[in-house]
Amino acid sequence: MLDVDPILDDPDTRIVVCCGSGGVGKTTTAAALGLRAAERGRKVVVLTIDPARRLAQSMGIDSLDNVPRRVKGIEDASGGELHAMMLDMKRTFDEIVEGHADPERAAAILSNPFYQSLSAGFAGTQEYMAMEKLGQLRAREEWDLIVVDTPPSRSALDFLDAPKRLGSFLDGKLIRVLLAPAKVGGRAGMKFLNVGMSMMTGALGKVLGGQLLRDVQTFVAAMDSMFGGFRTRADATYKLLQAPGTAFLVVAAPERDALREAAYFVERLDAEDMPLAGLVLNRVHGSGAAQLSAERALAAAENLEDSRIVDQRDGKAGLRNSPDTYGSSDSPDAPSAEAPQPPEDASRTGADSSRPAGQDVEQLTAGLLRLHAERMQLLSREQRTRDRFTALHPEVAVAEVAALPGDVHDIAGLRNIGDRLATNRPELPSTDA
């Protein structure tokens, strides 16, 4: 089992990265870990890239932005602090430009239409800026622990791949060709552009439009001195993620697709020599009556619902399997015309007088048994899914967090999740149970 407290308490652990596919509870897990670390005495900042703003709501903050904000209401007797922030992708890109270019060039870049499109929505920009912001936070040495909630990407691997993709874009042949005229300069540059690029720019102009192509060329010329810095910082942050002071936690739900993605990510982390702490299996269902199997519950429900096989009064056992006499006028249970009818129970006013009072209880009990059977079937599916993952990766420690009846929306809810993470108790039964 995964024990999170030694990870959070270790002063050498400076970064915890929560990663996984979308919709598995990464944001809640990251916030719960940050809160628990802060209440155990560490100065923590949680960086989320989740645009749904659930983190701000759960921490009682009106809104989060690109600046860490102090979270109030935590138990700070141990001297810890909790701060939270939400990545503003474009603002982070703007800060890089403003910090690494002179004012005139920075103004030209920020006003360039192609830059505005790139900084707002280029594929991989969000993940790259998350890496940039992580590098900035770590370099400031202001926090004991940084907890990162990775972007809600289609694939969890985007977080690791984005810096390389953006670096490949900046190093690409198209960029180098577009940059060449600016490097040559003057008439020679224009001659090179007109002769050496006439065919390519003509084709690109038809596809992209002449104005967009000019915007790209202007952007590339202005950004030339910064390209190396992007790659250098991306490489430095990548090495930071490989360092011993970083711990990766893969978050997944006990579902086939989520755990398949988790397994792929575990393998990728191992291939990249990145420190994996373990797997958080989130939203696991359990039962307080696991000894009653789904099959037995369904059989009991059917027994209650089928009046032909329900236990009857003494001396009537022979009628249970006799369809010819059931309900007939010859049945000893069938009332005769001469037999006096029992008076109606006054306590059952408004109820169906033709049904015994116990029949309503039996139907309710049968319904509850069927609900229990469905829960046990779900639990069995989750157990098989988890066991497939652990069979493939027996070396990965696992912490299981029970599914809650509602969403987490406050500090108390986050504290509850943190307590469950640290309980170190499996929710699902073991394979040999």
Side-chain angles (χ1 to χ4, degrees):
M1 297 298 297
L2 170 66
D3 191 352
V4 299
D5 282 347
I7 299 172
L8 301 178
D9 294 342
D10 186 354
D12 291 332
T13 301
R14 305 297 302 275
I15 298 173
V16 172
V17 182
C18 296
C19 52
S21 56
V24 296
K26 292 194 305 293
T27 300
T28 302
T29 300
L33 290 169
L35 174 63
R36 187 168 183 84
E39 293 187 335
R40 295 173 70 86
R42 304 197 73 183
K43 188 175 182 181
V44 184
V45 59
V46 178
L47 168 63
T48 182
I49 302 94
D50 185 356
R53 302 183 183 275
R54 292 190 301 271
L55 180 62
Q57 296 169 357
S58 64
M59 291 185 168
I61 300 176
D62 292 335
S63 63
L64 292 178
D65 53 24
N66 222 35
V67 178
R69 299 188 179 276
R70 180 82 175 264
V71 177
K72 299 178 181 179
I74 73 167
E75 297 175 0
D76 54 1
S78 299
E81 294 181 12
L82 180 61
H83 301 250
M85 62 181 297
M86 185 175 70
L87 178 74
D88 184 330
M89 178 177 65
K90 188 177 187 312
R91 183 61 211 147
T92 301
F93 212 151
D94 291 349
E95 290 172 354
I96 295 171
V97 171
E98 292 166 350
H100 295 84
D102 59 74
E104 183 178 353
R105 178 171 289 192
I109 294 171
L110 296 177
S111 62
N112 183 276
F114 179 75
Y115 167 79
Q116 293 172 358
S117 298
L118 174 70
S119 60
F122 184 78
T125 303
Q126 185 183 51
E127 289 80 6
Y128 178 86
M129 291 304 145
M131 298 280 273
E132 279 276 357
K133 182 57 67 176
L134 173 59
Q136 292 174 9
L137 292 172
R138 183 65 182 86
R140 288 165 63 176
E141 294 287 349
E142 188 174 346
W143 291 276
D144 300 333
L145 179 65
I146 303 169
V147 182
V148 183
D149 165 35
T150 54
S153 309
R154 179 187 63 82
S155 170
L157 300 177
D158 288 347
F159 182 66
L160 296 177
D161 290 336
K164 292 183 178 180
R165 285 205 309 271
L166 190 58
S168 298
F169 168 74
L170 298 178
D171 275 337
K173 293 181 180 179
L174 174 61
I175 294 296
R176 291 202 302 270
V177 171
L178 293 175
L179 187 59
K183 285 189 173 181
V184 175
R187 294 181 179 179
M190 292 303 299
K191 182 178 180 180
F192 175 86
L193 179 64
N194 291 332
V195 176
M197 295 178 60
S198 58
M199 294 182 63
M200 188 191 74
T201 54
L204 286 174
K206 291 179 181 179
V207 175
L208 304 177
Q211 183 59 49
L212 176 58
L213 184 59
R214 286 190 291 273
D215 291 338
V216 173
Q217 291 170 327
T218 304
F219 164 77
V220 170
M223 291 283 287
D224 176 30
S225 62
M226 297 179 59
F227 287 160
F230 278 101
R231 290 188 294 273
T232 300
R233 289 191 301 277
D235 291 342
T237 305
Y238 202 76
K239 291 179 180 178
L240 186 64
L241 292 176
Q242 293 175 315
T246 299
F248 278 85
L249 287 173
V250 178
V251 184
E255 301 166 1
R256 183 178 59 183
D257 291 343
L259 276 173
R260 182 187 296 119
E261 187 83 2
Y264 189 25
F265 201 82
V266 165
E267 294 165 4
R268 172 66 186 275
L269 290 172
D270 181 64
E272 299 287 341
D273 293 324
M274 292 192 173
L276 172 64
L279 170 76
V280 174
L281 196 58
N282 207 10
R283 300 170 186 164
V284 176
H285 293 86
S287 173
Q291 68 275 15
L292 178 59
S293 67
E295 293 77 11
R296 290 175 60 196
L298 287 174
E302 292 172 358
N303 187 55
L304 286 172
E305 290 172 339
D306 191 343
S307 58
R308 300 188 185 192
I309 59 174
V310 171
D311 289 342
Q312 301 183 31
R313 295 191 299 274
D314 293 342
K316 303 298 188 292
L319 295 174
R320 297 178 189 169
N321 299 316
S322 179
D324 295 331
T325 60
Y326 181 81
S328 69
S329 59
D330 296 332
S331 169
D333 279 344
S336 63
E338 293 80 8
Q341 299 297 316
E344 182 177 354
D345 187 353
S347 65
R348 299 184 68 235
T349 303
D352 184 358
S353 59
S354 65
R355 260 187 357 194
Q359 190 169 339
D360 292 330
V361 176
E362 291 173 355
Q363 288 184 345
L364 177 61
T365 304
L368 292 174
L369 286 167
R370 290 190 179 278
L371 286 176
H372 175 75
E374 291 177 4
R375 169 57 65 92
M376 293 304 297
Q377 289 168 347
L378 173 62
L379 192 150
S380 179
R381 287 197 301 272
E382 292 182 352
Q383 180 183 354
R384 290 194 302 270
T385 305
R386 179 207 59 187
D387 290 346
R388 280 196 293 268
F389 174 88
T390 55
L392 288 171
H393 299 284
E395 77 286 356
V396 178
V398 180
E400 298 179 9
V401 181
L404 300 180
D407 292 334
V408 175
H409 58 274
D410 56 17
I411 291 290
L414 292 176
R415 188 177 293 118
N416 182 20
I417 294 294
D419 291 342
R420 290 171 181 268
L421 273 168
T423 299
N424 206 23
R425 178 180 64 85
E427 298 291 337
L428 292 171
S430 61
T431 307
D432 55 358

